[in-house]
Amino acid sequence: MTLPLLSTKLHIPLARPNTVARPSLMERLNAGMHRKLSVVSASAGYGKTTLISEWARRCGRPIAWLSLDEGDNDPARFFAYLSAALKFAGPKFEGAAFGLQQSPMPVPIESLMASLLEEIGLISDPFNLVFDDYHVIRDGTIEKMVAYLIEYMPPQMHLVIATREEPRLPLARWRVRDQLTELQTAELRFSREEAAEFMSNTTGSTLSPADIGVLESRTEGWVAALQLASLSLRGLKDPAAFIRSFSGNHAYVVDYLLEEVFQRLSGDIQTFLLRTSILDRLCGPLCESVLGSRTDGGGDALTVSGQNMLERLEAANLFIVPLDNERRWYRYHQLFAELLQKRLQDSAASKDQHGRADVAELHTRASLWYEEEGMELQAFQHAVAAADTGRASRLLEGERMPLLFRGAVAPVLSWLHSLPVEEMDARPSLWVMYASALLMTGQMNEARRKLEAGESVLLTAEADERSRDLIGHIASIRATLAVSAHEAETILAESLRALECLHPDNLPVRASAIWTLGYAYQLQGDRRSAGKAYAEAFSLSRSIGHPMIAMMAALGLGMIQEGDNRLHEAEETYFNVLKWAGEPQPPAACEAHLGLARISYEWNDLDRAAQHAAQSIRLARRFDQSDRVVAGQVVLAQIKLAQGEAAEAESILAKAEQNARYQNFDNQRPAIAAVQVLALLRRGNRVQAAHLARKQKERYSLIRVLLSQGEADAALKELEPLEREAEEMGWEDRQLKIKILKAAALEACGDRPKAVEQLTAALTLARPGGHQRSFIDEGLPVYRLLCVAAGNSAELADLRAAFEGEVLPVYKPINTAYAKKATAPLIEPLSERELEVLRLIAQGLSNQEISERLFIALPTVKGHNRAIFDKLQVKRRTEAVALARERGLL
């Protein structure tokens, strides 16, 4: 989202000439800076902005100033301007929290503001933040944001609100806590002495005490009325008679005084004031455009430049406020602007000399100027004010990037909501934009309804290039809707349909469709196609400046690199995502931290892995509906288990399971079960581990259970189809896992040569990525194979050292009963012949082969087997071999 006219919104308004110093009020504001909030509340024309701007210049603190207008009733726009304003508070504030607004999922207010406050906390020096004209804010989301900001702001921050009405904030709570300073109408009214000083400064003459008394009484110290009176008094021979001639309440006083002031102005100034009153901000070229060309003969021409006219108005103190030090941008006092706008409407209705140019035409001229200057949001807003639906629609769609994708969701939604169905049906693209905007605000069901409305219109529309592109856009939105539910078939079908129908020049939507296509391929296990799609989406979105799709595509590439065992490349990709995301990071960055947690875990850097996993969970909590919190909890639990913190790991898993069950994240249940099985096996609970593995159909967990039960043959049988699938699909990460498990199973079967062969193949696969935990997590059987594996490379030495530092000292055999057997004294020691038979069993020889090798009868071999099993208290050859190795008998 662009931030136009920053200098007009973020700078302290310049002091008006001839103002009156009000030290008592400034002292009140100074005295309240230790509190959270100061509210200066009074109706229009009481000098709120003048007072606060003068105080801000003298308070001795950095000031972050934000002048608000009606257009700021857009949470994204408000947050962007707030972030920009806060940059004035201190050098450490980078405004990176604005990046959260680019998240593809709605971000909870509390999470958004928590990130902003985290960054504000980096500002060490005390500072003040000012919201001027806060009464224009009507959006409930923004009000919640401001309330959260005040409630949790750091002690070095103080907020000042200038407003015409009491803000819809929990002021009573802050009053009770002595966290609120208030200045209201009674304090802001000019006293008789202040009124006398003001009139003397502005008229250049001294009024009698009696006249001042009448004036102060009639205006009730209202600064706006006093200023209008001072303009009316200029050049009068009998000011006392004028003062006595008006009375009544504020509205009548202003009407009377405005009439007096306005009628005295020259015709060109009257025309200028009325026609430019449609503008929130004024600069010379813009005013000239609104008034019309000086050579068009239309009667609206300026006789001087727009800049000169603005300077004349400022010199005459005609309720115009300069907004920057260069005096390029101005605005009218709000009360004055409102009165001018009302008079303009009346003039247009009566078609008098000031109303020849229709108000809609003035807005159209402003829209044209803003568009030429590249300020498309302002151009769109004036097109809306001109009721020019065609022009507003074109500006909404944009030439390269729709306004929606640049953060202007709220004004677009507001306009679309105001349009009748007939207007929408006449332009089906508006239905599609409506659905897209609703999707961005998390209103999924409403988005689907708008898509259906758009599709029904397109069914009867002429089948041309434009309608075909809209059909493609609808399909892209449907694909995005299906992403959050991980519906691979729907995502694939809608993405392909979108790419088939979208116009080749519709690059933003094409980039989104290519990304969703990559995600569909990834869900289906087609990693090669997914990687190609992600790379294309990344390149395209970077070239057109679509940062969110670029981030999501890069995250997809990182996961593909992980799956290919290219861990160093994946790490670089994830770190690049975090660099692009900025600080503080948006919720979507949770996926990068989760990837870094997995990689750090695999490299056995458990502390670093835990840090990334915890940060991933923190960021993921900012999503309203996402399974990313559960995914982070699963990884964190696995890390805690590896760190020996079994109780904490099981607690985290319990929370993950509860979250998955409550929010129907069924896709996360197998991952939860996999770590739960590891934890159960560590505690020796093979029965429950087996039940859970079979219930969740977690085949790798089932294989580990079988190995723990000494059923290596069954484990090998389970591995066969998994191995074929991994090889056919090219899943190198699974191939690595399978080879390690297969090596452990072959070792348990007594086939050490084949076990070493499988382990060597696994080491070859693991070497480029530097894998360690895939080996360590399978325990002592893998360590023993590592000790006899060929080679003395640095990687192999590091892996052995990791085993020796973690597994050997603290290793607890998976089966508690098995552990007792491994440490309890034998009923009777094995004889030399029994040991000889046992060694041959461990080599994988059959009873017949042992008989032939030792030159003894087959029944004798079987007798030795029974004796060995009885002494070791086991029932199978594989158990006998495993237990003998634990005891050091082999």
Side-chain angles (χ1 to χ4, degrees):
M1 177 180 177
T2 57
L3 300 177
L5 310 180
L6 275 176
S7 63
T8 70
K9 297 179 70 67
L10 307 183
H11 282 87
I12 303 171
L14 301 178
R16 297 179 188 175
N18 305 319
T19 54
V20 175
R22 311 194 72 184
S24 62
L25 297 183
M26 292 192 187
E27 288 174 5
R28 288 276 304 278
L29 291 172
N30 283 333
M33 281 197 291
H34 70 282
R35 300 185 176 99
K36 286 179 177 288
L37 175 66
S38 293
V39 175
V40 182
S41 175
S43 57
Y46 272 97
K48 300 181 293 294
T49 299
T50 300
L51 170 67
I52 296 173
S53 63
E54 280 298 298
W55 166 78
R57 295 178 190 280
R58 302 181 186 185
C59 70
R61 286 186 176 186
I63 299 293
W65 186 287
L66 178 54
S67 296
L68 298 165
D69 55 46
E70 292 288 348
D72 295 324
N73 278 289
D74 172 355
R77 177 183 169 109
F78 176 87
F79 192 80
Y81 278 124
L82 173 58
S83 297
L86 284 167
K87 292 183 180 181
F88 290 87
K92 292 186 178 180
F93 188 89
E94 296 294 335
F98 176 51
L100 297 178
Q101 291 295 90
Q102 298 177 328
S103 171
M105 300 182 186
V107 181
I109 297 167
E110 293 80 4
S111 301
L112 191 68
M113 297 309 296
S115 289
L116 181 69
L117 286 165
E118 182 179 346
E119 191 173 4
I120 292 173
L122 299 176
I123 303 172
S124 56
D125 296 328
F127 72 94
N128 297 322
L129 170 64
V130 177
F131 289 156
D132 192 18
D133 293 329
Y134 183 79
H135 54 271
V136 301
I137 297 300
R138 294 288 185 269
D139 184 86
T141 298
I142 296 177
E143 290 171 343
K144 291 178 182 178
M145 291 165 68
V146 173
Y148 192 96
L149 175 68
I150 297 170
E151 188 68 32
Y152 298 103
M153 66 169 59
Q156 69 271 27
M157 176 179 172
H158 177 70
L159 176 62
V160 181
I161 291 178
T163 176
R164 292 187 185 179
E165 58 194 42
E166 184 170 291
R168 288 171 292 279
L169 297 168
L171 300 183
R173 180 198 309 163
W174 297 324
R175 286 191 192 105
V176 171
R177 298 176 182 173
D178 191 30
Q179 295 174 336
L180 173 64
T181 298
E182 294 178 276
L183 292 179
Q184 297 179 332
T185 301
E187 291 95 338
L188 292 172
R189 286 193 179 109
F190 271 26
S191 66
R192 184 166 300 190
E193 292 75 18
E194 289 172 329
E197 181 184 353
F198 178 83
M199 295 304 291
S200 176
N201 290 342
T202 54
T203 64
S205 60
T206 303
L207 299 176
S208 69
D211 289 339
I212 290 295
V214 171
L215 191 61
E216 190 273 333
S217 174
R218 297 288 169 82
T219 63
E220 298 182 9
W222 190 20
V223 183
L226 287 170
Q227 187 173 3
L228 283 167
S230 72
L231 291 171
S232 301
L233 285 169
R234 290 177 185 175
L236 291 183
K237 295 180 179 179
D238 188 3
F242 174 83
I243 290 172
R244 290 190 296 271
S245 65
F246 71 89
S247 62
N249 61 32
H250 288 169
Y252 292 116
V253 170
V254 170
D255 287 345
Y256 176 80
L257 293 175
L258 181 61
E259 189 68 22
E260 284 289 317
V261 173
F262 191 80
Q263 293 298 335
R264 291 187 184 188
L265 301 175
S266 63
D268 62 337
I269 293 180
Q270 289 183 15
T271 299
F272 184 93
L273 290 172
L274 288 173
R275 306 238 172 121
T276 58
S277 67
I278 67 163
L279 303 171
D280 294 330
R281 302 287 187 271
L282 306 97
C283 70
L286 174 58
C287 292
E288 291 172 11
S289 179
V290 170
L291 267 292
S293 170
R294 289 195 292 271
T295 59
D296 64 4
D300 297 333
L302 284 174
T303 57
V304 296
S305 74
Q307 183 64 31
N308 288 340
M309 181 63 81
L310 291 170
E311 292 173 1
R312 282 175 57 187
L313 296 176
E314 182 188 2
N317 201 20
L318 272 171
F319 292 92
I320 190 168
V321 181
L323 295 171
D324 54 46
N325 291 322
E326 293 78 21
R327 282 173 160 75
R328 293 181 57 235
W329 287 94
Y330 295 80
R331 70 171 175 86
Y332 291 125
H333 185 287
Q334 286 192 16
L335 175 64
F336 192 54
E338 290 167 6
L339 294 167
L340 289 173
Q341 289 162 9
K342 182 178 183 302
R343 189 177 184 93
L344 176 65
Q345 293 289 347
D346 294 341
S347 299
S350 62
K351 298 296 181 182
D352 67 12
Q353 71 271 22
H354 300 304
R356 281 198 301 270
D358 186 78
V359 176
E361 182 183 346
L362 298 176
H363 281 292
T364 298
R365 293 176 183 177
S367 179
L368 286 166
W369 185 87
Y370 275 120
E371 184 180 11
E372 290 174 0
E373 294 298 314
M375 302 181 194
E376 293 183 341
L377 175 57
Q378 287 72 25
F380 165 77
Q381 291 171 323
H382 279 286
V384 170
D388 189 342
T389 305
R391 179 173 178 75
S393 300
R394 180 178 61 77
L395 290 165
L396 166 58
E397 294 177 16
E399 291 186 9
R400 287 177 53 84
M401 189 76 66
L403 286 178
L404 286 173
F405 298 164
R406 287 178 272 171
V409 178
V412 169
L413 270 178
S414 176
W415 176 60
L416 291 172
H417 184 68
S418 71
L419 292 178
V421 172
E422 294 76 19
E423 287 276 15
M424 304 287 291
D425 287 344
R427 295 177 175 82
S429 63
L430 295 181
W431 285 118
V432 180
M433 286 294 175
Y434 207 167
S436 186
L438 291 165
L439 173 62
M440 291 180 180
T441 56
Q443 302 178 63
M444 306 298 188
N445 291 330
E446 279 299 314
R448 291 186 179 93
R449 282 192 277 271
K450 304 310 178 191
L451 289 180
E452 291 168 1
E455 284 177 321
S456 65
V457 175
L458 287 171
L459 287 174
T460 59
E462 182 180 351
D464 55 13
E465 188 178 77
R466 174 63 171 159
S467 62
R468 184 174 176 82
D469 183 70
L470 288 176
I471 291 171
H473 197 162
I474 290 172
S476 176
I477 295 172
R478 291 197 184 281
T480 306
L481 286 167
V483 163
S484 60
H486 311 290
E487 298 169 349
E489 296 301 327
T490 301
I491 300 169
L492 181 64
E494 296 293 351
S495 298
L496 290 172
R497 184 184 182 209
L499 292 171
E500 179 185 356
C501 296
L502 285 168
H503 191 277
D505 294 337
N506 194 347
L507 299 182
V509 183
R510 292 190 72 85
S512 178
I514 294 169
W515 166 65
T516 55
L517 180 65
Y519 189 68
Y521 287 142
Q522 184 179 342
L523 288 175
Q524 292 181 330
D526 187 354
R527 296 178 181 176
R528 180 171 297 180
S529 297
K532 289 181 179 178
Y534 285 144
E536 184 180 354
F538 177 76
S539 176
L540 179 57
S541 55
R542 291 278 284 180
S543 68
I544 63 175
H546 203 337
M548 182 48 60
I549 296 300
M551 182 185 298
M552 302 307 294
L555 289 169
L557 284 172
M559 285 185 276
I560 298 301
Q561 290 161 346
E562 275 191 85
D564 290 342
N565 291 338
R566 294 180 286 153
L567 300 190
H568 296 285
E569 292 179 46
E571 181 193 39
E572 183 179 2
T573 298
Y574 291 138
F575 274 126
N576 281 334
V577 169
L578 296 180
K579 181 173 66 176
W580 299 329
E583 290 289 345
Q585 294 153 353
C590 72
E591 200 66 55
H593 281 288
L594 192 58
L596 290 169
R598 290 190 297 263
I599 292 169
S600 299
Y601 177 82
E602 189 59 50
W603 289 341
N604 205 31
D605 189 347
L606 300 181
D607 290 338
R608 183 166 171 262
Q611 291 170 3
H612 281 298
Q615 178 66 359
S616 176
I617 294 168
R618 282 193 292 269
L619 291 172
R621 291 191 191 282
R622 297 175 187 170
F623 290 127
D624 279 337
Q625 289 288 329
S626 172
D627 63 355
R628 294 298 85 195
V629 170
V630 176
Q633 289 172 327
V634 170
V635 173
L636 183 59
Q638 188 174 11
I639 295 165
K640 293 298 181 183
L641 198 60
Q643 290 176 320
E645 301 176 22
E648 185 173 356
E650 292 182 15
S651 173
I652 294 170
L653 286 171
K655 293 176 183 176
E657 187 173 25
Q658 183 180 14
N659 289 340
R661 186 184 302 110
Y662 180 74
Q663 300 187 65
N664 297 318
F665 294 146
D666 293 337
N667 60 304
Q668 290 295 331
R669 299 299 290 276
I672 296 170
V675 184
Q676 286 177 325
V677 167
L678 283 176
L680 289 167
L681 291 175
R682 293 283 174 88
R683 289 197 285 110
N685 193 338
R686 288 180 300 166
V687 174
Q688 189 176 348
H691 172 74
L692 184 58
R694 289 188 172 91
K695 179 181 178 182
Q696 293 298 329
K697 299 180 181 179
E698 227 298 311
R699 298 173 74 181
Y700 292 99
S701 295
L702 180 60
I703 291 165
R704 290 191 177 95
V705 171
L706 292 172
L707 289 173
S708 76
Q709 294 172 332
E711 300 178 27
D713 291 331
L716 285 171
K717 188 175 181 180
E718 288 287 336
L719 281 167
E720 287 177 3
L722 295 176
E723 187 174 29
R724 286 194 300 270
E725 181 185 34
E727 289 176 353
E728 290 171 2
M729 299 298 292
W731 296 338
E732 294 197 18
D733 56 340
R734 296 195 188 179
Q735 289 179 45
L736 173 61
K737 181 187 297 186
I738 289 166
K739 288 184 184 300
I740 296 171
L741 287 170
K742 191 173 182 180
L746 289 168
E747 170 73 358
C749 288
D751 193 346
R752 174 162 285 182
K754 289 185 178 179
V756 171
E757 179 183 330
Q758 285 293 317
L759 190 68
T760 301
L763 289 168
T764 302
L765 277 177
R767 187 172 296 113
H771 295 69
Q772 288 193 1
R773 288 303 315 184
S774 293
F775 296 89
I776 297 170
D777 287 345
E778 304 309 329
L780 284 174
V782 172
Y783 173 70
R784 283 192 293 269
L785 288 173
L786 283 171
C787 291
V788 298
N792 290 299
S793 65
E795 294 87 351
L796 193 56
D798 288 343
L799 187 53
R800 288 170 180 159
F803 264 102
E804 290 162 5
E806 175 184 336
V807 177
L808 296 184
V810 301
Y811 180 75
K812 296 178 181 178
I814 292 173
N815 185 344
T816 304
Y818 182 76
K820 291 179 180 178
K821 292 179 186 178
T823 57
L826 292 179
I827 298 173
E828 181 180 352
L830 298 177
S831 67
E832 285 298 322
R833 176 60 82 177
E834 288 167 350
L835 284 171
E836 193 174 9
V837 171
L838 182 59
R839 292 187 189 100
L840 294 176
I841 290 174
Q843 293 176 21
L845 273 65
S846 67
N847 287 342
Q848 184 63 44
E849 291 170 333
I850 295 172
S851 171
E852 295 169 358
R853 177 77 63 88
L854 297 180
F855 303 100
I856 58 176
L858 182 60
T860 303
V861 173
K862 293 181 179 179
H864 285 313
N865 284 348
R866 284 193 296 273
I868 292 169
F869 291 176
D870 289 343
K871 291 179 179 180
L872 292 177
Q873 300 180 54
V874 297
K875 295 180 179 180
R876 300 180 180 87
R877 290 163 61 102
T878 54
E879 287 181 294
V881 171
L883 188 57
R885 287 199 174 111
E886 294 291 343
R887 289 179 167 276
L889 299 176
L890 294 176

